[in-house]
């Protein structure tokens, strides 16, 4: 997608998320605060985190990458979109979530880590598609805006399960090697489907 | 039931799963039995809101052979196992619905507290099948066994399977199971 089309997509992102969120109503509230979007020529456009998505103008979308975002896009070549989110349940999680659900393992990776500082974000996201930050916000990744938003919603479902299962004796983790295998299988299947749909 | 009618019903049911928040994306699956030997099931890896009745897949319950170019849902073995072991069943729904998933993540059976929920679910305890990797023989057999004489089972760390004499019936079971799980969790919170 070229720069003009990408800006148009970002200006309409609030409406897109609103439409999509209906299907996840019971999972918790996911508010997207900022989007970083990689265009076809490799430039990354970033929305102004201080403005609500629905009030953005084109001037609020600039290639102003923080060093952390820059490193992330440089390192993870298949990532096209980064969402900075504030989520009802994810924000309450203060320790690593092990693999407790198959769909979590498939899509988000072996676990959801907590990044203790900016320096820690890349490490927390290594081999993973979501991480929770020390300030309670989250970073969710995807090859496109739809994938990144699904990652955010799935992070919310996983966080809710992790928290609410406490009264049932706690969520039981599945084997990490099996979780890793499921994630790899998902990535392979997804990349095949993406190629087929090109 | 005519195959054409079954394909329309299953296609519509896939969209309903999505609308009712019982599944997201391409997760979950639905089937109906057409006759003693065949079922129609949703295809693998397709978005429900983009499906047409022609995309639904006709499968032989005993040989797992299917017609057409689209692959059936990867969970078809579970559906076939349920139909083979319960000839009176006409529909199967597999979902990743939220509250049942929470209980499944704790690998706990569901204590069904409401008598009306017990009536619809057919038991006062809904069993959780032990964890096994998706689409394996173990998860297929263990889940079908965990249903016992009820209308549903949890699949540990994964989701649920709900059954009914027809799809409408199976939907009622899925919705009721969700309410029963939410009530079970709320009762444990209150007790703690």
């Amino acid at each position: 997608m070229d720069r003009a089309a990408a800006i148009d997509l970002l200006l309409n992102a609030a409406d897109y998320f609103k439409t999509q969120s209906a299907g996840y109503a019971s999972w918790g509230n996911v508010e997207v605060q900022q989007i970083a979007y990689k265009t076809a020529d490799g430039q990354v456009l970033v929305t102004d985190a201080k403005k609500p998505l629905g009030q953005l103008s084109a001037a609020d979308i600039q290639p102003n990458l923080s060093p952390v975002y820059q490193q992330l896009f440089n390192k993870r070549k298949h990532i096209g979109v980064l969402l900075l989110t504030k989520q009802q349940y994810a924000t309450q999680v203060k320790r690593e979530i092990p693999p407790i659900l198959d769909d979590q393992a498939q899509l988000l990776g072996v676990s959801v880590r907590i990044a203790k500082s900016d320096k820690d974000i890349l490490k927390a996201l290594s081999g993973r598609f979501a991480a929770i930050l020390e300030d309670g916000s989250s970073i969710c990744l995807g090859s496109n805006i739809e994938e990144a938003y699904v990652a955010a919603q799935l992070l919310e479902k996983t966080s809710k399960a992790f928290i609410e299962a406490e009264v049932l004796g706690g969520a039981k983790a599945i084997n990490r090697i099996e979780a890793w295998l499921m994630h790899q299988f998902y990535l392979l299947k997804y990349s095949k489907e993406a190629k087929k749909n090109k | 039931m005519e195959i054409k009618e079954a394909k329309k019903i299953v296609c519509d049911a896939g969209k309903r799963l999505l609308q009712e928040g019982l599944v997201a994306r391409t997760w979950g699956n639905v089937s109906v039995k057409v006759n003693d030997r065949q079922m129609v099931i949703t295809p693998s890896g397709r978005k429900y809101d983009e499906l047409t009745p022609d995309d639904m897949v006709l499968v032989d319950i005993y040989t797992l052979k299917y017609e057409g170019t689209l692959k059936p849902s990867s969970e078809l073995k579970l559906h076939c196992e349920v139909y083979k072991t319960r000839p009176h069943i006409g529909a199967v729904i597999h979902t990743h619905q939220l509250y049942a998933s929470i209980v499944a993540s704790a690998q706990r059976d569901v204590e069904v507290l409401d008598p009306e929920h017990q009536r619809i679910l057919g038991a006062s305890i809904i069993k959780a099948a032990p964890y096994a990797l998706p689409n394996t023989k173990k998860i297929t057999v263990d889940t079908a066994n965990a249903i016992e004489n009820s209308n549903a089972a949890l699949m540990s760390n994964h989701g649920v399977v709900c059954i009914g004499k027809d799809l409408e019936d199976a939907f009622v079971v899925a919705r009721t199971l969700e309410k029963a799980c939410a009530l079970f969790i709320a009762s444990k919170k209150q007790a703690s």
Side-chain angles (χ1 to χ4, degrees):
Chain A
M1 192 177 286
D2 66 20
R3 184 188 164 101
I7 289 174
D8 192 46
L9 182 141
L10 293 173
L11 289 174
N12 290 296
D15 289 339
Y16 172 75
F17 294 142
K18 194 175 173 185
T19 311
Q20 294 294 306
S21 66
Y24 305 102
S26 62
W27 291 14
N29 295 323
V30 173
E31 183 201 342
V32 179
Q33 297 183 319
Q34 186 176 45
I35 309 170
Y37 188 98
K38 188 161 78 176
T39 61
D41 62 4
Q43 188 180 49
V44 179
L45 299 172
V46 186
T47 63
D48 185 346
K50 290 180 190 133
K51 271 197 175 177
L53 282 187
Q55 294 174 22
L56 291 177
S57 66
D60 301 317
I61 300 167
Q62 299 292 335
N64 294 330
L65 270 184
S66 70
V68 176
Y69 285 10
Q70 183 74 64
Q71 285 172 35
L72 195 75
F73 279 102
N74 286 345
K75 199 171 176 186
R76 304 277 294 270
K77 300 292 181 196
H78 293 98
I79 297 302
V81 173
L82 176 156
L83 302 181
L84 178 68
T85 62
K86 196 81 172 181
Q87 311 194 179
Q88 184 183 354
Y89 286 92
T91 195
Q92 298 174 42
V93 175
K94 301 298 175 199
R95 61 189 170 96
E96 182 182 27
I97 308 176
I100 59 169
L101 291 168
D102 281 347
D103 47 14
Q104 169 210 354
Q106 285 168 9
L107 205 139
L108 300 182
V110 167
S111 69
V112 178
R113 290 172 172 153
I114 311 292
K116 299 285 181 195
S117 65
D118 274 6
K119 277 190 221 164
D120 204 25
I121 291 174
L122 273 182
K123 195 178 158 195
L125 280 166
S126 177
R128 288 154 174 82
F129 283 74
I132 299 167
L133 311 185
E134 185 72 356
D135 68 358
S137 54
S138 300
I139 287 182
C140 301
L141 308 174
S143 59
N144 57 40
I145 207 152
E146 182 191 356
E147 290 292 322
Y149 190 65
V150 170
Q153 289 290 357
L154 194 53
L155 171 63
E156 190 63 358
K157 178 188 178 186
T158 304
S159 301
K160 186 166 181 171
F162 191 56
I163 292 166
E164 301 250 304
E166 280 299 312
V167 293
L168 303 173
K172 306 288 183 288
I174 55 181
N175 180 290
R176 281 190 177 238
I177 294 170
E178 290 181 348
W180 181 83
L181 284 171
M182 275 192 281
H183 183 56
Q184 296 308 311
F185 180 76
Y186 175 85
L187 292 178
L188 189 68
K189 192 176 163 189
Y190 174 74
S191 68
K192 271 186 187 170
E193 277 173 12
K195 271 183 196 166
K196 203 166 68 181
N197 293 338
K198 264 187 181 175
Chain B
M1 186 185 289
E2 293 290 323
I3 293 169
K4 195 175 173 185
E5 184 194 356
K7 287 189 171 184
K8 169 130 186 17
I9 290 172
V10 172
C11 181
D12 290 347
K15 295 179 202 306
R16 268 174 74 191
L17 280 183
L18 206 60
Q19 286 158 5
E20 294 192 20
L22 294 170
V23 299
R25 306 198 80 214
T26 64
W27 293 315
N29 33 71
V30 185
S31 72
V32 296
K33 196 163 75 173
V34 179
N35 54 47
D36 288 346
R37 198 161 182 101
Q38 293 173 304
M39 67 170 184
V40 166
I41 190 167
T42 41
S44 175
R46 295 291 182 110
K47 291 180 182 171
Y48 292 108
D49 51 2
E50 294 172 2
L51 291 176
T52 68
D54 289 341
D55 296 327
M56 303 302 111
V57 189
L58 184 66
V59 178
D60 186 306
I61 292 166
Y62 291 89
T63 66
L64 306 185
K65 283 185 179 166
Y66 61 94
E67 292 180 8
T69 51
L70 288 183
K71 276 187 180 178
S73 163
S74 56
E75 313 258 9
L76 89 157
K77 289 178 198 163
L78 172 61
H79 290 247
C80 291
E81 185 70 16
V82 171
Y83 290 127
K84 280 193 284 187
T85 52
R86 292 165 178 78
H88 63 289
I89 290 307
V92 176
I93 300 179
H94 166 56
T95 77
H96 294 188
Q97 56 199 58
L98 180 70
Y99 285 97
S101 294
I102 294 172
V103 182
S105 76
Q107 302 182 349
R108 291 279 301 263
D109 297 341
V110 187
E111 295 164 26
V112 184
L113 303 171
D114 185 303
E116 179 61 6
H117 294 168
Q118 289 178 11
R119 186 187 66 76
I120 294 167
L121 297 173
S124 57
I125 300 280
I126 295 297
K127 290 278 179 70
Y131 181 76
L133 279 172
N135 314 324
T136 55
K137 188 174 180 184
K138 181 168 169 44
I139 201 168
T140 299
V141 173
D142 286 352
T143 304
N145 287 341
I147 298 172
E148 295 182 338
N149 294 317
S150 76
N151 295 321
L154 301 192
M155 302 161 77
S156 288
N157 307 95
H158 186 97
V160 305
V161 62
C162 299
I163 63 177
K165 64 179 188 309
D166 54 30
L167 256 181
E168 204 50 54
D169 209 22
F171 262 99
V172 171
V173 170
R175 279 187 223 115
T176 305
L177 179 58
E178 195 61 353
K179 287 178 195 165
C181 288
L183 196 59
F184 176 51
I185 294 166
S187 74
K188 294 292 177 192
K189 274 187 194 168
Q190 211 170 22
S192 65

